[in-house]
Amino acid sequence: MQNKENLISKEKTTKQNRIWVRIASACNNTCLFCLDSEAQNWTFPSEEKIKKDIIDWFKPWMENRVIISWGEASINPKFPEYIRFAKEVWYDRVQTVTNWNMFAIESFCKKVFDAWLEEVTFSFHWHNSTLHDYLVNTPWAFKKSLKWLIYIKKYYPNIIINIDIVVNKINVSYLPDIVKFFMKLWVYEYDILQIIPFGRWFSTYKEKLFYNVEDYREKLKETWELSKIPWMYMWTNRFYPEVFEWYEDLIQDPRKIKSEVMWESYEIFEPFIKSKWIIKPDCYWDKCDVCFQKQYCHDFINESNVLKSDYSNYEIISWEEFPSLVFAKYWESMQDFINYLSKINKPLINIPKCLWWTWIYQFYNDIKENDTLEDYTYKYIKNLYRKKSLRCKTCKYNNECKWIHLNFIRSYSFSLLQPIK
Ligand code: SF4
Ligand code: SF4
């Protein structure tokens, strides 16, 4: 069952204003699964633009975190200067994501930590040289990285170190072992990322790197189980929520979809939505089947109206932005929520048949306004980001069912849904 404490503590972190600033369109590794490769042309954005982004995206009324990232940020010669600048703008936390290569220079470590870099996410995709070096396509990468991870742990013990792992067909069976290996080095924060179908080598490596999550459910579960170890802080990224049954606190915040389509991808997705899905992104077609975003890009496009505008005789069960708000508006426990639904004397909207006898949903056509990217994304997150359990396959309503909003699953777990035989 999901861990409510973890869920609420992660909620605090996701309420931060987190911004990603690109300072390099270049990298000194050539990972097979790189999702940034198409944006790389061996240039650095101008200092003026970088500093403007850092200033413009700061929100004084919030806790602010800047992640200096994209490409390999540390190869920009002004990297330490941008760290210092972000601290001067008053960011609460300055973080970077790196492949380690630059951190293998003692003087470089001193410079960036003196500039007040506080958190470093290092990418490791295996726990020995052979396959890590193969996956990042760089000889000696693992040995060097490991040496410097140990160095920083020893000489800069206050720096927060976490590890990100891109999960793919080659390493998925060993995922629990990879995490356990780094736990022995006292790393207790992980970002586990599902591979996504972008980058230069997708067509070459599709068969080798992409896997069917259902075939590896046990290994994934074994990994999620490690999230329950005290002090462990595990985040997941771009996985289908269905793989987290019993571990629902690991499901990514639905609002994360905004950062997928708004930031650097704005120019791709804005015409797509504005043209009512006619001007398609380049990735449309062959990549969609292995993409975590398929529901956003495909599933609600052709839905027809099920309701007309008069909702007065219905009770709309709408999402709440955070699980803590779901608990406050509805109930703390799953059973109380079910009892609450059963006592409402109107037909319910947005609730599946296993929880209520009516079967009425809002679709995008019911709630559309301007067809802008912001509008669709907001409406998608608020109303359409619905999911069901893998167990639903045994339910007689499986094909027609339109599921329940993800935040109810995050709050009450997948066991809320009970297949009807
Ligand atoms: S689902 Fe969307 S983002 Fe993913 S490959 Fe298809 S069009 Fe691109
Ligand atoms: S398919 Fe799943 S969510 Fe839908 S009615 Fe059946 S059990 Fe409930």
Side-chain angles (χ1 to χ4, degrees):
M1 191 58 76
Q2 104 269 38
N3 181 331
K4 211 182 253 181
E5 259 171 49
N6 265 353
L7 191 65
I8 302 296
S9 114
K10 282 185 172 169
E11 188 178 304
K12 283 191 194 128
T13 313
T14 57
K15 281 177 182 164
Q16 291 172 339
N17 176 38
R18 289 178 162 229
I19 64 144
W20 281 261
V21 175
R22 179 188 282 281
I23 69 165
S25 295
C27 183
N28 47 4
N29 270 2
T30 45
C31 300
L32 304 192
F33 41 70
C34 177
L35 57 88
D36 192 53
S37 55
E38 278 151 12
Q40 292 180 9
N41 56 8
W42 283 93
T43 61
F44 302 129
S46 72
E47 181 172 344
E48 194 190 356
K49 178 175 185 327
I50 292 170
K51 290 190 171 171
K52 186 173 179 314
D53 286 350
I54 293 175
I55 292 170
D56 287 354
W57 294 335
F58 182 82
K59 294 186 179 164
W61 61 93
M62 293 179 80
E63 196 178 326
N64 289 276
R65 174 190 293 249
V66 56
I67 301 144
I68 300 181
S69 178
W70 299 109
E72 174 55 39
S74 63
I75 61 177
N76 185 321
K78 294 197 167 175
F79 180 57
E81 190 183 316
Y82 296 134
I83 295 169
R84 199 178 295 278
F85 182 76
K87 274 322 266 187
E88 284 164 6
V89 175
W90 279 96
Y91 277 85
D92 299 280
R93 175 71 57 88
V94 181
Q95 178 183 351
T96 193
V97 182
T98 177
N99 62 24
W100 281 98
N101 291 335
M102 289 300 289
F103 284 78
I105 302 167
E106 213 171 315
S107 57
F108 178 84
C109 289
K110 182 163 170 24
K111 227 190 252 178
V112 295
F113 295 134
D114 283 353
W116 220 264
L117 181 66
E118 295 154 302
E119 183 166 335
V120 191
T121 301
F122 290 105
S123 301
F124 276 103
H125 310 296
W126 194 266
H127 52 314
N128 66 36
S129 302
T130 326
L131 283 168
H132 176 78
D133 295 358
Y134 170 74
L135 287 167
V136 301
N137 205 20
T138 307
W140 304 105
F142 180 81
K143 277 192 178 145
K144 279 199 251 168
S145 307
L146 191 66
K147 177 176 163 194
W148 289 92
L149 182 147
I150 294 165
Y151 172 84
I152 293 175
K153 277 267 172 212
K154 185 167 174 192
Y155 293 104
Y156 295 94
N158 295 329
I159 302 298
I160 298 169
I161 290 188
N162 40 57
I163 285 182
D164 73 29
I165 306 169
V166 175
V167 184
N168 58 78
K169 197 175 187 175
I170 293 175
N171 66 9
V172 60
S173 302
Y174 296 88
L175 191 56
D177 303 315
I178 299 173
V179 173
K180 284 179 199 161
F181 175 87
F182 288 103
M183 280 168 60
K184 286 189 199 141
L185 298 173
W186 292 96
V187 178
Y188 277 88
E189 184 163 341
Y190 294 85
D191 199 3
I192 316 267
L193 300 106
Q194 172 70 322
I195 187 165
I196 54 173
F198 304 114
R200 63 196 144 212
W201 287 320
F202 171 73
S203 48
T204 315
Y205 288 103
K206 184 178 175 192
E207 293 304 318
K208 207 169 235 177
L209 296 178
F210 285 81
Y211 66 101
N212 178 358
V213 286
E214 285 206 46
D215 295 342
Y216 294 91
R217 270 176 78 195
E218 286 313 308
K219 283 295 168 189
L220 292 172
K221 267 171 80 175
E222 214 183 298
T223 310
W224 311 150
E225 191 62 31
L226 297 170
S227 71
K228 296 185 172 166
I229 291 173
W231 306 299
M232 181 63 108
Y233 221 48
M234 192 180 279
W235 298 89
T236 65
N237 231 294
R238 303 186 181 121
F239 277 90
Y240 304 115
E242 292 86 333
V243 301
F244 298 107
E245 187 143 359
W246 301 103
Y247 304 92
E248 288 84 353
D249 54 294
L250 295 176
I251 297 174
Q252 194 169 26
D253 187 326
R255 293 168 310 143
K256 179 76 191 329
I257 201 101
K258 274 197 281 187
S259 58
E260 303 289 354
V261 295
M262 298 286 184
W263 295 78
E264 295 207 331
S265 305
Y266 192 94
E267 281 166 16
I268 298 169
F269 283 100
E270 213 250 352
F272 178 49
I273 304 298
K274 230 176 172 167
S275 69
K276 295 190 192 296
W277 295 276
I278 291 169
I279 304 171
K280 303 204 177 353
D282 285 349
C283 50
Y284 204 87
W285 310 120
D286 63 323
K287 295 181 175 174
C288 302
D289 275 342
V290 287
C291 180
F292 70 104
Q293 224 169 267
K294 190 173 178 194
Q295 191 185 25
Y296 173 92
C297 295
H298 288 245
D299 286 2
F300 291 96
I301 298 173
N302 297 317
E303 296 288 6
S304 56
N305 266 0
V306 284
L307 270 188
K308 302 300 169 202
S309 50
D310 180 12
Y311 292 108
S312 55
N313 293 325
Y314 300 91
E315 181 81 16
I316 299 176
I317 305 294
S318 60
W319 89 312
E320 289 300 319
E321 199 167 0
F322 300 105
S324 64
L325 298 177
V326 174
F327 296 138
K329 178 167 176 186
Y330 298 100
W331 291 89
E332 287 268 333
S333 81
M334 179 178 83
Q335 196 50 53
D336 287 341
F337 175 63
I338 294 171
N339 293 344
Y340 162 80
L341 295 180
S342 70
K343 286 181 188 142
I344 300 175
N345 288 324
K346 291 174 172 181
L348 302 184
I349 295 179
N350 298 334
I351 290 294
K353 205 148 184 162
C354 56
L355 293 173
W356 186 245
W357 57 273
T358 56
W359 193 338
I360 303 168
Y361 288 91
Q362 288 171 301
F363 292 104
Y364 184 59
N365 290 346
D366 300 314
I367 50 183
K368 74 177 176 193
E369 277 166 15
N370 299 321
D371 278 338
T372 61
L373 178 62
E374 288 83 352
D375 174 53
Y376 175 70
T377 306
Y378 179 69
K379 298 290 164 51
Y380 175 81
I381 293 171
K382 183 167 158 28
N383 295 287
L384 307 174
Y385 206 147
R386 298 190 293 249
K387 288 286 171 189
K388 60 185 171 182
S389 159
L390 290 172
R391 289 178 295 103
C392 288
K393 280 185 188 155
T394 63
C395 175
K396 67 177 178 182
Y397 298 111
N398 185 34
N399 292 338
E400 305 97 296
C401 183
K402 295 295 173 197
W403 327 334
I404 193 166
H405 192 277
L406 186 62
N407 267 355
F408 289 113
I409 291 171
R410 294 173 74 219
S411 305
Y412 299 127
S413 84
F414 278 105
S415 49
L416 186 61
L417 308 173
Q418 289 303 329
I420 302 167
K421 304 286 177 184

